[in-house]
Amino acid sequence: MHVFGTFFQNDPQRPLKYGEVELINPPRQRLRGEPLKEGILAHPVIVGFCGTDHELMEMGRRGELTAKFPAGQNRLINGHEGVVWVPEQNRFAIVLIRGGDSVDPTRFTEGETYFEYGCDQADGLFCDSIFVNPDMLLDIPDGYVRDGKLALSFAKKMVFPDPFACMLFQLERMEDLGSAHWFRQTARRRRCDLETARTYAADEIFARTVIFGLGTTGMFVGDVIR
């Protein structure tokens, strides 16, 4: 299936290009243990371009994108923030971008792999059409679609779930560090049992946190910590 889209490539002059591309539809799984499923057709409605996209563009300029391309391809359609229309299901949906052979794609480890639509080994939303694993099409909350139309104010906000999710992942990792490495000292200082100390330590770690960068994710996590 040939469509027009914007894609990354290894090229010092044109790392980001708009043109005709052939869509691929390899079977993918949302989480380890779930069945591999071919994607269903969706049409992007609103898409964001973030700092990760900019970094991927610079990687293409340096010729460093090969590992990011889908298998057998020499390009990656970018775009991992936004809303799509799913004709087969007659609905709008938010794309869950990360999945793969992992129990938790936010914390994959040895022997596990992951993919991200528009970022890593899977084509994304900057295209007229896209194939998405049906298990990775999230429902739009009630009240935002009326008479078959999606509220523009809501659609604009849905460009930000990915950086917000990134913020939550980072927040959880910091809490993990605190509860795993700071809890014994906390137990002695607070004179409490170790399990209670883990809860205190997960919060106390933020007294020793420095956030570098003021991108969207950094601002989200700084606001939550504050």
Side-chain angles (χ1 to χ4, degrees):
M1 179 176 178
H2 287 83
V3 296
F4 282 90
T6 304
F7 55 92
F8 296 118
Q9 59 183 358
N10 284 325
D11 189 308
Q13 303 301 322
R14 302 184 71 189
L16 187 65
K17 182 180 178 181
Y18 177 79
E20 189 175 45
V21 293
E22 183 176 2
L23 291 185
I24 58 173
N25 190 13
R28 302 187 188 278
Q29 62 189 140
R30 187 180 69 98
L31 291 173
R32 171 169 285 198
E34 295 186 1
L36 288 167
K37 293 184 179 180
E38 286 193 354
I40 62 176
L41 188 67
H43 303 301
V45 174
I46 187 168
V47 189
F49 188 98
C50 75
T52 299
D53 293 311
H54 183 268
E55 177 57 28
L56 288 168
M57 181 179 69
E58 293 302 318
M59 288 174 66
R61 199 185 305 277
R62 299 191 298 266
E64 299 172 352
L65 277 181
T66 302
K68 300 287 187 182
F69 296 147
Q73 304 298 312
N74 60 1
R75 88 292 177 272
L76 172 67
I77 300 171
N78 60 303
H80 56 275
E81 301 171 331
V83 177
V84 298
W85 170 255
V86 189
E88 182 179 319
Q89 300 177 350
N90 193 37
R91 70 180 180 102
F92 294 99
I94 304 164
V95 177
L96 172 65
I97 65 161
R98 182 181 285 192
D101 178 29
S102 174
V103 175
D104 179 355
T106 72
R107 293 172 177 80
F108 72 101
T109 184
E110 293 83 2
E112 297 181 342
T113 59
Y114 79 100
F115 70 89
E116 288 184 272
Y117 287 113
C119 290
D120 203 299
Q121 303 175 53
D123 288 332
L125 281 75
F126 269 122
C127 203
D128 291 344
S129 303
I130 177 178
F131 289 108
V132 183
N133 180 318
D135 297 333
M136 301 180 73
L137 293 168
L138 307 181
D139 292 334
I140 300 290
D142 292 340
Y144 292 106
V145 179
R146 295 194 178 108
D147 299 323
K149 295 182 179 180
L150 180 67
L152 180 59
S153 59
F154 177 81
K156 289 178 178 179
K157 292 176 182 176
M158 289 304 99
V159 173
F160 290 98
D162 178 64
F164 193 81
C166 290
M167 177 278 294
L168 290 178
F169 300 158
Q170 293 181 31
L171 191 76
E172 290 171 356
R173 289 188 178 101
M174 286 186 274
E175 291 172 341
D176 290 347
L177 284 171
S179 63
H181 297 288
W182 194 248
F183 72 102
R184 295 186 189 279
Q185 189 272 354
T186 302
R188 289 195 297 271
R189 177 165 40 81
R190 289 182 174 266
R191 302 179 185 277
C192 62
D193 63 88
L194 294 182
E195 198 57 39
T196 301
R198 287 184 185 275
T199 302
Y200 284 127
D203 182 64
E204 289 179 351
I205 194 70
F206 296 111
R208 299 165 180 80
T209 299
V210 177
I211 300 170
F212 290 89
L214 275 178
T216 309
T217 302
M219 288 190 286
F220 275 146
V221 74
D223 186 59
V224 170
I225 291 173
R226 180 180 59 82

